[in-house]
Amino acid sequence: MGAAGSARGSGGIAHVGIAVRSIEEARGFWEALGLVVEHVEEVPHEGVRVAMIPCGTSRIELLEPTREDSPIATFLAKRGPGIHHLCLASDDVAADDRRLRELGFTLLRPEPTAGAEGTRVQFVHPKSAGGVLVELAEEP
Ligand code: CO
């Protein structure tokens, strides 16, 4: 099964991405639940600032746009704040990318790119994934 791919769920749901207008405004709800923002980072080429909030073995990722042409700004304009994507841990995102492409699924980018915290990430188009934007993330 070696060639069958890597995102088989052993790493679980790495995080749930939530689009917010402001991390500063949005974090209070999660903190009221006793969760703690462990990490805030800007990802300039994505036009976002992300706040990572550990939650059990997974995390909540708050995504705030840093410019008008950010995909998160577009999402907020169309749909308002809310769940944006589901991220699965992958131990070989390049292999997942290749396999999904061969199987005819639509990926958002020509190849995996740099994500937050040194990860390599790819996104599966919602039309290929039952209406859900799925991120695959490989730890550095
Ligand atoms: Co994410």
Side-chain angles (χ1 to χ4, degrees), residues 15-17 50 52 61 63 84-87 121 123 135 137:
H15 61 260
V16 176
V50 306
M52 285 298 191
E61 177 187 58
L63 300 143
H84 177 261
H85 67 268
L86 190 64
C87 178
V121 302
F123 289 86
E135 176 182 13

Side-chain angles (χ1 to χ4, degrees), residues 31-86:
E31 289 169 338
L33 291 173
L35 303 177
V36 175
V37 174
E38 73 167 0
H39 178 76
V40 178
E41 176 181 346
E42 190 165 336
V43 186
H45 62 277
E46 302 278 0
V48 294
R49 215 156 64 94
V50 306
M52 285 298 191
I53 304 173
C55 181
T57 57
S58 188
R59 297 193 292 179
I60 305 289
E61 177 187 58
L62 303 181
L63 300 143
E64 173 193 292
T66 54
R67 50 172 205 257
E68 289 292 312
D69 63 346
S70 158
I72 295 300
T74 306
F75 180 92
L76 287 168
K78 267 198 227 166
R79 308 178 49 177
I83 292 181
H84 177 261
H85 67 268
L86 190 64

